[in-house]
Amino acid sequence: MRLEGIHHVTAITGDAPGNVDFYARVLGLRLVKKTVNQDDPTVYHLFYADEKGSAGSDITFFEYPGARRGQTGEGMVHRVAWRVASEEALDFWETRLHAEGTEGSRAEGRLRFEDPEGLGLELVVSETPDEPLIADSPEIPSKLALQGFQGVRAYSSQPDRSRSFLEEALGFESRSDTAFEVRGQQRGSLYGYDAANEPPVPGAGTVHHVAWSSPPDEHEAWRQRVQEAGASPTPVIDRFYFKSIYFREPSGVLFEIATMGPGFTADEPLETLGERLSLPPKYEQYRDQVEPALTPLSNPRDAWAARS
Ligand code: ZN
């Protein structure tokens, strides 16, 4: 059994319109699902990914309108890295982000920056056999586009206490004292630690959890393995687009293991992913009340389509 790298990363936004603008227009990802929080249908859960909505490219946000900024700290993911193909791509992104008022920090092979709410992001020139997971944007040539996740970094003051759990229970392989790789048949991702600086304060611009990919038929077995290793996984929860379990790894980071299917075409066709509000079945009968109560959003694809 092998986990297939990162499935998705979920973070928090206090500004859904600004979030769509940054991830769908500036970064050029596709808004592949616009739905509501399964526990609170008055707020969004937004999903951005490649053109097909693939696991391995999907960053999602819970909306808490007007939420104050959080503070990344111990036991939290503090940086999300995507792959790009070349230094030329980093040049392009440095210029594009600068034009949007976002200053990046460039080093060889990478560009670090923050989203408008302070979430730590990074683009890394990556040589990998993994399929590039790319979204179409008229403003971003595909050879320069984001290609799916490279990995995430978390804060831990004692990363050693996670080592045996990551290696023995989850099949991560050590790459250094503080870095691991998890790789399956199709994809792999990196997971690293940095020393914690501040106490964690959840809020806008912070990561809520990172999910790792499991083939659907191995999901139950992963739950058992996590439990046997001493963690406390939730029961399997049906998220419609995938099934999930959640648990904290020993450094306190909230992990999820999610199935690689059925995926975002479970309730709408690939061609129109994310255009209509998707509601969980229990809320569908309240669509007329739910939809007008949500923050109005404009998808940059509408403006692009109108122009062409
Ligand atoms: Zn999740």
Side-chain angles (χ1 to χ4, degrees):
M1 266 191 354
R2 289 270 161 201
L3 294 169
E4 298 279 338
I6 293 174
H7 185 288
H8 64 268
V9 177
T10 293
I12 295 167
T13 179
D15 172 19
N19 189 258
V20 174
D21 183 64
F22 188 77
Y23 287 90
R25 184 182 63 81
V26 178
L27 294 188
L29 301 175
R30 183 176 187 187
L31 178 64
V32 291
K33 191 64 65 181
K34 185 169 65 175
T35 184
V36 293
N37 188 315
Q38 286 189 13
D39 302 317
D40 179 0
T42 67
V43 294
Y44 285 118
H45 191 181
L46 302 171
F47 298 70
Y48 309 90
D50 69 341
E51 205 57 26
K52 291 186 252 177
S54 308
S57 67
D58 173 19
I59 187 162
T60 96
F61 288 86
F62 295 134
E63 179 202 21
Y64 294 101
R68 278 208 245 164
R69 278 203 192 188
Q71 167 69 54
T72 51
E74 181 79 13
M76 273 174 134
V77 168
H78 67 87
R79 191 167 299 279
V80 179
W82 280 274
R83 296 170 180 152
V84 292
S86 62
E87 290 284 341
E88 184 195 355
L90 296 183
D91 294 341
F92 170 85
W93 284 105
E94 195 172 19
T95 304
R96 181 171 173 85
L97 290 166
H98 175 78
E100 296 289 340
T102 297
E103 294 312 322
S105 157
R106 180 85 177 261
E108 188 174 346
R110 68 162 197 249
L111 174 67
R112 287 186 171 168
F113 55 100
E114 294 180 349
D115 86 354
E117 294 175 288
L119 180 61
L121 304 176
E122 183 171 24
L123 304 180
V124 179
V125 178
S126 172
E127 286 177 22
T128 167
D130 299 355
E131 183 193 349
L133 303 175
I134 291 172
D136 297 336
S137 161
E139 298 183 355
I140 301 159
S142 62
K143 68 173 186 172
L144 306 176
L146 276 56
Q147 299 189 335
F149 294 123
Q150 168 82 346
V152 294
R153 299 192 68 83
Y155 280 132
S156 175
S157 53
Q158 293 175 274
D160 257 351
R161 65 189 169 171
S162 293
R163 177 171 293 275
S164 68
F165 181 79
L166 295 178
E167 291 181 349
E168 286 157 33
L170 299 187
F172 286 37
E173 289 185 10
S174 180
R175 290 288 173 264
S176 75
D177 282 354
T178 57
F180 299 85
E181 180 171 15
V182 58
R183 176 160 286 282
Q185 303 267 331
Q186 295 167 45
R187 302 191 74 75
S189 304
L190 301 176
Y191 182 57
Y193 291 110
D194 298 297
N197 49 357
E198 307 274 348
V201 183
T206 65
V207 170
H208 187 266
H209 63 266
V210 55
W212 309 94
S213 286
S214 157
D217 57 340
E218 295 174 358
H219 197 236
E220 274 291 347
W222 277 114
R223 185 176 183 281
Q224 198 156 357
R225 197 186 275 194
V226 163
Q227 196 158 35
E228 283 164 7
S232 302
T234 62
V236 173
I237 299 171
D238 189 350
R239 296 299 187 198
F240 304 104
Y241 313 115
F242 41 82
K243 289 187 172 155
S244 299
I245 59 168
Y246 303 82
F247 52 94
R248 286 193 191 273
E249 58 100 336
S251 284
V253 179
L254 185 59
F255 273 16
E256 173 181 351
I257 294 179
T259 57
M260 292 167 80
F264 295 119
T265 53
D267 62 353
E268 57 184 343
L270 181 62
E271 294 69 30
T272 56
L273 282 183
E275 291 177 13
R276 178 173 188 262
L277 178 69
S278 290
L279 288 175
K282 66 177 170 180
Y283 297 129
E284 189 57 57
Q285 58 178 313
Y286 305 113
R287 179 177 284 270
D288 289 350
Q289 288 101 60
V290 168
E291 205 158 4
L294 291 164
T295 313
L297 293 181
S298 68
N299 187 333
R301 289 197 173 209
D302 297 338
W304 292 331
R307 248 188 278 157
S308 62

